[in-house]
Amino acid sequence: MPGKLKAKIVAGRHLPVMDRASDLTDAFVEVKFGNTTFKTDVCPKSLNPQWNSEWFKFEVDDEDLQDEPLQITVLDHDTYSANDAIGKVYIDIDPLLCTEAASVISGWFPIYDTIHGIRGEINVLVKVELFNDLNRFRQSSCGVKFFCTTSIPRCYRAAMVHGFVEELVVNEDPEYQWIDRIRTPRASNEARQRLISLMSGELQRKIGLKVLEMGGNAVVGYLQCFDLEGESGLVVRAIGTACTLDKLSSGSAPNTNTHVHPNTAPASNACNSPSKDGKEPVFGEDLPSSSGPPTPFRALPTSSSSPPPFSPSKPCSRQSSSSDTDLSLTPKTGMGSGGSAGKEAGPLKTLLRQQTQTALEQREFPFFTLTSFPPGFLVHVGGVVSARSVKLLDRIHNPDEPETRDAWWEEIRQEIKSHAKALGCHAVIGYSESTSICEEVCILSASGTAAILNPRYMREGCLDIGSTDHRFEEPSPPSCGFCHIPYDELNMPFPAQLTYCYHCRRQKVPDVLFTTIDLPPEAAVTGKGCLIQARLCRLKKKAQGEVNATAISNLLPFMEYELHTQLMNKLKLRNMNALFGLHIQISVGENMLLGLASATGVYLTALPAPGGIQIAGKTPGDLSNEHHILTIQKRINDAIAKNKELYQINPPKLFALDPEVFCGINMELTEEGVGSPIPEPRQRSRLFRSHSESSDELSELDLSHGKKDAFVLEIDDTDAVEDIHSLLTDAHPPTGFYSCNTEIMPGIYNWTSGIQMFTSVRVFRLSNANLTNQGLNKIFTDLCENLLKSFYFKLRSMIPCCLCHLNFTVAVPEEELIQVTVTAVAMTFDKDQTQEKPADKPITKGSSETEEQLQFPLELCADTSSANTQPSSKISGVPESTNVSSRAASVDYGSFADRCSTWLELLRLKAHTIRRGSVKTISSLERCSPLPEGRSRSLRSSRSFGGSSVTVVKMTPLSFLPGIRIIKYLGIINMFFIRETTSLREEGGVSGFLHSFIAEVFAMVRAHVAALGGNAVVSYSMKECVLMENPNKNQAQCLINVSGDAVICVRETDQETTASMTNIGQTCSSGTDGAT
Amino acid sequence: MAVELDVFVGNTTIMDEEVYQLWLDGYTVNDAVKVRMEGGVMDECEASADVLLSDTMDQYRTFQMCERLLHSPAKLANQLLFQIPPHRQTVLIERYYAFDDAFVREVLGKKLSKGTKKDLDDISAKTSVTLKSCRRQFDNFKRVFKVVEELKGPLVENIRQHFLLSDKLARDYAAIVFFANNRFETGKRKLQYLTFQDFAFCAGQLINNWTVGAVDNMVEDMDVDLDKEFLQELKELKILITDKDLLDQHKSLVCTALRGKTKAFNEMEANFKNLSRGLVNIAAKLTNTKDVRDFFIDLVEKFIEPCRSDRWTAADMKLYLTHYTNSAHILDTFKHQVVWDRYMGVIKSCIFKMYHD
């Protein structure tokens, strides 16, 4: 019995009137955990009852602590009839199970009822006493930290990145059980909420176990989703990246932390259960610098972990899914494996590739849900890999054996893995999975970015996010390294135009780069980025079962192709050459499919300038047609010119001096490699589609006329004209606005602290009349465009500002409805400084100690020289030629790697200096962070203003807050709510209903965060917003799932003062908290 | 083909002050959109009519959801549903409780009952304040009235604390409550020239000097009811007009003091007895509730109108009343100096305020 949970009910306020006669309420509270229930006394005739109960104690297993929520029910006592429920509060106590997270949950929680919404608030205190349990067969995984953030959380450093973890659990959906016919909607909703809460807890626990097995202590980029499969059940699944994180604390000197491999690595090894060694990544031998002498590190015992015996191949055993449901289109494409791709390359390169690949291949899935990496981790990016598969749902017969669903995902992951291999990559980053369900058909999708990672960094535990936070301009930044092609240029997986990198001129780069990750912070970018969306509707016949699934399967490749073409055209039109954060969603409805691709376009300095778009007619003789084409061409050229200006794209002329030379090389390459001088549009991209076989016909396009570097659009029918029109009708954001779907906007560096997170939902009802593909496309495009316009208008007071992390989700909830849900954050920035990238990188990451930064260049020089003089330095393992500025004449990969690693060493050295300087600050923060009330002064100042006692909680979908430093992560927030109404009209129709529900969800998230002692939520996302309505019956129901990381943060300028103030403030504020 | 649902929810509740005002003023969504379009807001962000309509609907919905909280503003500060910055909360409350002078002038002194509420459509037509806005304002008056009715302590302070209003607005509400409680007649034609602010000023004077609260500050309704004892004592002042000697003596003292200082001296001298009788009679009658109600009309009829017909300037008025009040102190047979001061202090400042066109 390893845990004791204690709860105390303090008081209530703003309760609803439950007794019409007295206009008062006789409230009492039931506190339930597992099967144990306690009750408070009845507090008669009060809308603001003071219970001040004793401590209710639950003695429970830690397994239950992880799975179960604490359930608090507020009721109205009735002497004669049954007690009426006022509402409930579910408290997830997981954050209390982690020693580093919150220590107490204390605060006002909204009392929530699935029929009436929020009905008053209740003040609750919860504590957990955990006893140490050394049972190695335990089922719980207390202490594993979970983060939604898809990068290494600030204030931690990654000692080790272990890799992909996944799990899913299934159950019957209470809404579809027989009992649902006889119980009230309230009971049914509550059963569902409770079940999902239990399932999430269980899922998290199971994933935690996997992490412990791998030797990790945290999951980063945790992504949990629900599949409401209706009749066939309820699936909760999650993926994440297992890591070993070290808290950056003031106590341990950073010097030792970063470089002591003997300390960190063996420690993590020790945690490993021997049986799972197969999954343990072994990268010891995979130094990218094959030319350098063995570094001391390699001789260390830590790297001695012998090649793993055998990695248990789970997929093989599970692939036997029932054949009748398996309608997966996925062709087992025989694309060249990475191994063969490397054969023709230089010996060094091959060696390297083979080494790193074998290392990563030993993992079942070398996937990473992270989208942003510490510098040096990401070596090369191949391109987007994605896979989709259409499945027919059937009832989950045995919830304990979710084999079918597991097998489905296994299959898709295998496919992704093989795509990545074909791109010459050994890993997939920015990986995510999603589903779209309509009746019994389900589309499973997975996508990510094929990449080559630096295995050294995963091995050594050098992902020092804490130190790399303090970034600065590099003498020679690897701002282009990740763009260099990972695959072999002579044996490319697809035809592409390659040129020498416009930045370093040493390596080949593709002409266009698509990725699902965030723009690496060190990347060199010209001008600003912008949101690029491709939108598409496709009608399909209504059908049932397999016919339906086949129809959908057949449509998918066409949709992907068209979305892709649209993205490409729009990218060219904006004069950009790369997409980041690409997310393609395909949503299925009864009679149509919706496709929405969102990404942030940028001009990467390293990549060649995009050619223009050229319009060509099919029948050249026609004069009027010719004229028409000319006008369109002019409009397009104008648009490109305008965009160039708008996004300030003025590529440096340095490398563009002799384009002919590059062009020549280009031609040569493509001709040699592929034999087709002009790649057809589809092939230009790095997007790998699993349905590639269907696009054969499309590659017949003859594009032989016109400029070689121009992108040719052919007008042969009205469709094409429409397409071009829609291309041109995309409105630009109004002056002062920028938008992107990545964490931060490329090209904006000086954020100020103003933020506004919002969620917007629009549902559009189609009339039968205009149900053509073209008409639908227009409607869908307008819907998205109008939404954006609405945002710009609503947020106009924040100008200049940028809408970041614009996350669009589309759904077809009913036959004639299109639902678009958007969550994003608007952030203000300082307009005056936008032109230049400031010397000390984003303020969001920077430290507040400018004087320390000023010292850098000096110390940096010193460190460099010392590193130079001691090439075999124990701590760094710097290869011999460490002169950063030296330009080696040879362009071979090995030397680049040398320079790269050298640079990384330098970075680390510099990082030390910073950290040494900032020890004082950190220590002062540490002092205040354990306090539950470390809520900064804003709380107290707002209190004095009109007696407000509500903590301001900021929310953002990003992993950081501008101008504010996160000092502590309090745990994951993962909440699921159902709201139902039978008086839709009275609540202001569907809009009124959903508006108040979303506001309520926000309120409950804020309340939970505040109760944990936090003042912000980062990496917030609304995973699910399922709305069902029946206006005729005056009814509606909505399900919302949200998640994020609760944090304590302080203003960067306030740090010192807050630290000293919170000590004083704590006693007062905790006192007042109880009293209000 | 239509937008079936359209919502936008910010973590910090977004409220446009212009739209808020339109909502308070009782505009329908469509009218509000028209007003906004005319206001040129569309040019600001390349917005279209659709965008404007969507925004207006959203804002209206937010305000409707907030309205319940605005009814007890203290709740707004510690509710969890909307995250509104404190300064914005203050604006919301202040604006919600603000009222139109034209409207308040109509209901000032009327009983805040259902009957009056029924007449709101007439008032709406007369004042061209929308009915919706009239209802809100009326309900605000009634709500404030109900809450402070049961509270001890100073009226203005109670209103300010309970409704988190600014000092100015709290004073105005105190005046409204005071008038409604004492049912002062303000609607007569002769009183039409007086603005709400004139009355509010007078109410402040009465509250500060003539109520129970002026002597004892811990009684219920202390600032709402006039001090009964004081009203009784006012009867004693009658001696100033009933005692012939006293009246003459008073007159000569005033005239001596005024002589040569004003052009209207002759009229003052001629009218002295009339005016003095008027003021003292008002004082003596205040024990009757009916006469309390007519207090302002009496002041106008018995004093202000005669003076105005004699073309006294405001300065004349000031001079006259000052000497009129002060001279009574010199009368050796007049023993009610304290009551006289308490009475005349208020009368003087009320008349100063009310003496305009």
Side-chain angles (χ1 to χ4, degrees), chain A residues 531 731-734 737-740 758 785-799 801 803 806, chain B residues 8 45 51:
Chain A
L531 178 77
H732 299 288
F737 270 110
Y738 290 95
S739 56
C740 62
F758 61 86
E785 285 287 320
N786 286 340
L787 258 173
L788 283 169
K789 277 185 201 155
S790 272
F791 300 156
Y792 297 138
F793 181 74
K794 275 200 188 284
L795 299 162
R796 63 193 186 283
S797 65
M798 292 179 80
I799 285 176
C801 97
L803 302 186
L806 268 166
Chain B
F8 177 102
C45 236
V51 167

Side-chain angles (χ1 to χ4, degrees), chain B residues 229-242:
Chain B
E229 276 177 47
F230 165 67
L231 297 183
Q232 279 299 330
E233 286 165 5
L234 283 178
K235 289 198 173 210
E236 312 287 339
L237 299 180
K238 265 198 128 167
I239 192 158
L240 280 174
I241 48 172
T242 46

Side-chain angles (χ1 to χ4, degrees), chain A residues 643-709:
Chain A
N643 281 328
K644 229 175 192 173
E645 199 180 309
L646 196 65
Y647 300 110
Q648 298 156 14
I649 296 171
N650 310 303
K653 293 277 182 277
L654 191 64
F655 292 108
L657 282 177
D658 47 356
E660 284 313 312
V661 177
F662 284 107
C663 204
I665 297 166
N666 249 345
M667 294 302 307
E668 237 175 332
L669 281 174
T670 37
E671 264 158 351
E672 256 179 69
V674 195
S676 123
I678 293 161
E680 47 113 340
R682 179 185 67 88
Q683 291 167 324
R684 285 243 186 154
S685 79
R686 308 294 84 83
L687 181 79
F688 244 81
R689 263 169 275 110
S690 41
H691 320 286
S692 40
E693 87 282 354
S694 57
S695 43
D696 289 352
E697 40 171 329
L698 298 155
S699 54
E700 287 163 18
L701 290 172
D702 177 30
L703 307 170
S704 53
H705 57 317
K707 277 195 306 187
K708 292 245 155 76
D709 62 337

Side-chain angles (χ1 to χ4, degrees), chain B residues 189-194 198 264 267 271 275 299-314 316-317 351-357:
Chain B
R189 207 179 44 79
K190 282 181 180 167
L191 294 177
Q192 283 309 315
Y193 79 98
L194 290 168
D198 295 336
E267 289 85 351
N271 269 336
L275 292 176
L299 273 187
V300 170
E301 278 177 357
K302 302 280 159 52
F303 196 86
I304 291 169
E305 279 186 347
C307 298
R308 196 180 285 145
S309 61
D310 287 342
R311 295 173 194 282
W312 293 21
T313 63
D316 292 338
M317 176 67 74
I351 292 177
F352 289 162
K353 190 77 188 172
M354 292 162 70
Y355 194 71
H356 63 80
D357 296 325

